Amino acid sequence: MPETPEQALLRTRVDAVLQEFVREEADRFAAVDADLLPVAEQLSVAVAGGKRLRAAFCYWGWRAAGQPDSDALVRAAAAMELLHAAAVVHDDLIDESPTRHGVPSAHAALGAALGGRARPLAGGRALAMLTGDLLIAWAAQMFLSCGLPSAYLSRARDLWAVMARELIAGECLEVLRTGAPPDTARSLQVIRYKTAKYTVEHPLHIGGALAGAPGTLMESFTSYGLPLGEAFQLRDDLLGLFGDPERTGKSNLDDVRGNRPTALLAETWSASTSAERRELRGLLGRRGLDREGLERVRAIMLRTGAPERIEEMITLRVRAANDALARADLPHGAAEALSLMVASAAARQS
């Protein structure tokens, strides 16, 4: 779905704030020693581009509480994109994904920079882990130095800690459940903590808290944000298997090779025959899985109707988000923007 002029302008503002911050901090980092230049470059690459969804939800959480446009708030919202960049670096490292949006992932690029040295792959992974750690520190630094009054920031401090804790909890649950017997309810729990909360609910809450939003509005943010965040990740799971890699920026093989605990795989497993389950056991988690193996997994998914059930889950969650938005009685501009974001999440192809 095309961006509105207001959405495009907000994304441009967030990009500008991030570029300035990261340029200055990466220069300070590289000034320690010239050997750090490859890491400084990856810090910049990690933050480049993106939909800036988390910043947008934070911004509209602020506006929904009746606050006017604010450059300081845009800076606070942009800090969430640094946390997201850290999560992406760590996620690619955990999943051993070689690329992200058509370019080498941080650990792959840093491993290549160590070519000719002993254990370059291990070195690249270690440097990527540290890159992600520094991005997390930068996120907190940018948030606290955004320019909003300290009294405003104090209202959101605990929520920032909750967001970080629950994001890491979701990542840990995904690792712990990878390769475990597929279970849709447990997969949905991973989705809620790894994606839904830190993508939609927590940014809305933090924007609202900064603005002094009442408890009733914060409850509306949860009623809207959780189903929308889950719909977003369920769509991502479908695109991961059936999307166009040129548009999604990642291989269709990743989720199957990693045997990740997605709701799509869980729904497939629950409706598979005994023979299909035996076949899936030989395909899921196979690092050398080829296109033929992927097509076989897709065929089983389609035979069981799993993609259709995931689409139904998305539809139900989109409806719940829209219903929550209709009940919230928000200012017109915020209501319109948040409504457009529901439609965009439901229909996206990348």
Side-chain angles (χ1 to χ4, degrees), residues 1-4 6-8 10-11 51-61 81 199-201 203-204 224-225 227-229 231-232 235 314 317-318 321-322 325 330 333-348:
M1 178 172 291
E3 290 181 312
T4 66
E6 190 170 20
Q7 287 173 319
L10 177 58
R11 183 168 55 82
K51 301 178 182 70
R52 309 308 188 198
L53 286 175
R54 292 147 193 89
F57 282 118
C58 182
Y59 178 84
W60 289 113
E81 297 298 333
T199 298
V200 187
E201 185 198 29
L204 282 167
Y224 164 90
L228 179 57
F232 185 90
R235 173 67 61 206
I314 293 171
R317 285 160 175 77
V318 165
N322 278 324
L325 196 57
L330 303 182
E336 183 179 30
L338 292 173
S339 178
L340 287 171
M341 293 174 82
V342 175
S344 178
R348 69 191 182 92

Side-chain angles (χ1 to χ4, degrees), residues 81-123:
E81 297 298 333
L82 291 173
L83 183 66
H84 174 56
V88 169
V89 169
H90 284 158
D91 205 40
D92 286 343
L93 178 60
I94 292 166
D95 295 339
E96 300 181 15
S97 299
T99 62
R100 168 76 63 163
H101 297 303
V103 299
S105 52
H107 65 274
L110 289 165
L114 292 172
R117 304 187 191 183
R119 303 182 67 219
L121 296 181

Side-chain angles (χ1 to χ4, degrees), residues 15-344:
D15 282 342
V17 166
L18 286 170
Q19 288 169 10
E20 180 182 6
F21 179 89
V22 172
R23 181 175 62 250
E24 292 176 355
E25 290 300 323
D27 285 348
R28 292 187 183 110
F29 180 79
V32 173
D33 192 284
D35 284 352
L36 294 170
L37 284 172
V39 180
E41 180 181 351
Q42 283 308 305
L43 286 162
S44 298
V45 170
V47 180
K51 301 178 182 70
R52 309 308 188 198
L53 286 175
R54 292 147 193 89
F57 282 118
C58 182
Y59 178 84
W60 289 113
W62 165 273
R63 295 295 301 276
Q67 291 283 6
D69 180 61
S70 163
D71 288 339
L73 187 280
V74 169
R75 186 176 175 85
M80 297 186 184
E81 297 298 333
L82 291 173
L83 183 66
H84 174 56
V88 169
V89 169
H90 284 158
D91 205 40
D92 286 343
L93 178 60
I94 292 166
D95 295 339
E96 300 181 15
S97 299
T99 62
R100 168 76 63 163
H101 297 303
V103 299
S105 52
H107 65 274
L110 289 165
L114 292 172
R117 304 187 191 183
R119 303 182 67 219
L121 296 181
R125 292 177 61 82
L127 290 173
M129 178 184 69
L130 295 168
T131 297
D133 291 348
L134 184 53
L135 286 166
I136 292 173
W138 280 1
Q141 176 188 337
M142 187 176 192
F143 185 75
L144 293 174
S145 64
C146 68
L148 288 172
S150 58
Y152 286 35
L153 293 172
S154 68
R155 295 194 292 243
R157 188 174 292 116
D158 288 346
L159 292 175
W160 186 279
V162 171
M163 177 174 64
R165 177 171 65 247
E166 292 188 342
L167 168 59
I168 298 301
E171 291 278 6
C172 289
L173 285 173
E174 183 177 57
V175 173
L176 290 166
R177 292 175 183 175
T178 293
D183 180 276
T184 299
R186 287 163 68 83
S187 294
L188 289 172
Q189 185 188 33
V190 171
I191 283 174
R192 172 163 289 198
Y193 284 93
K194 183 188 173 188
T195 302
K197 283 177 164 285
Y198 106 98
T199 298
V200 187
E201 185 198 29
H202 288 316
L204 282 167
H205 276 181
I206 289 172
L210 290 169
T216 52
L217 181 55
M218 300 292 265
E219 290 170 4
S220 295
F221 287 160
T222 293
S223 297
Y224 164 90
L226 284 180
L228 179 57
E230 290 175 2
F232 185 90
Q233 184 58 46
L234 288 167
R235 173 67 61 206
D236 199 65
D237 291 346
L238 280 175
L239 291 173
L241 266 294
F242 294 97
D244 179 1
E246 292 295 319
R247 301 184 70 176
T248 64
K250 51 190 175 183
S251 169
N252 295 131
L253 292 161
D254 286 353
D255 285 354
V256 181
R257 283 176 173 170
N259 195 10
R260 295 172 189 159
T262 67
L264 177 59
L265 288 176
E267 285 295 303
T268 301
W269 183 267
S270 68
S272 294
T273 64
S274 297
E276 286 170 335
R277 288 186 178 185
R278 284 194 297 272
E279 191 170 3
L280 287 170
R281 287 191 190 98
L283 295 170
L284 299 177
R286 185 194 296 175
R287 288 296 177 185
L289 186 79
D290 55 15
R291 300 299 300 185
E292 183 179 349
L294 173 64
E295 290 304 322
R296 184 56 195 149
V297 172
R298 283 172 166 167
I300 295 173
M301 286 179 169
L302 293 171
R303 207 280 310 161
T304 61
E308 288 83 357
R309 289 195 296 282
I310 298 299
E311 288 286 0
E312 291 170 4
M313 291 181 189
I314 293 171
T315 298
L316 288 172
R317 285 160 175 77
V318 165
R319 186 179 302 144
N322 278 324
D323 288 347
L325 196 57
R327 295 192 303 269
D329 191 26
L330 303 182
H332 174 72
E336 183 179 30
L338 292 173
S339 178
L340 287 171
M341 293 174 82
V342 175
S344 178

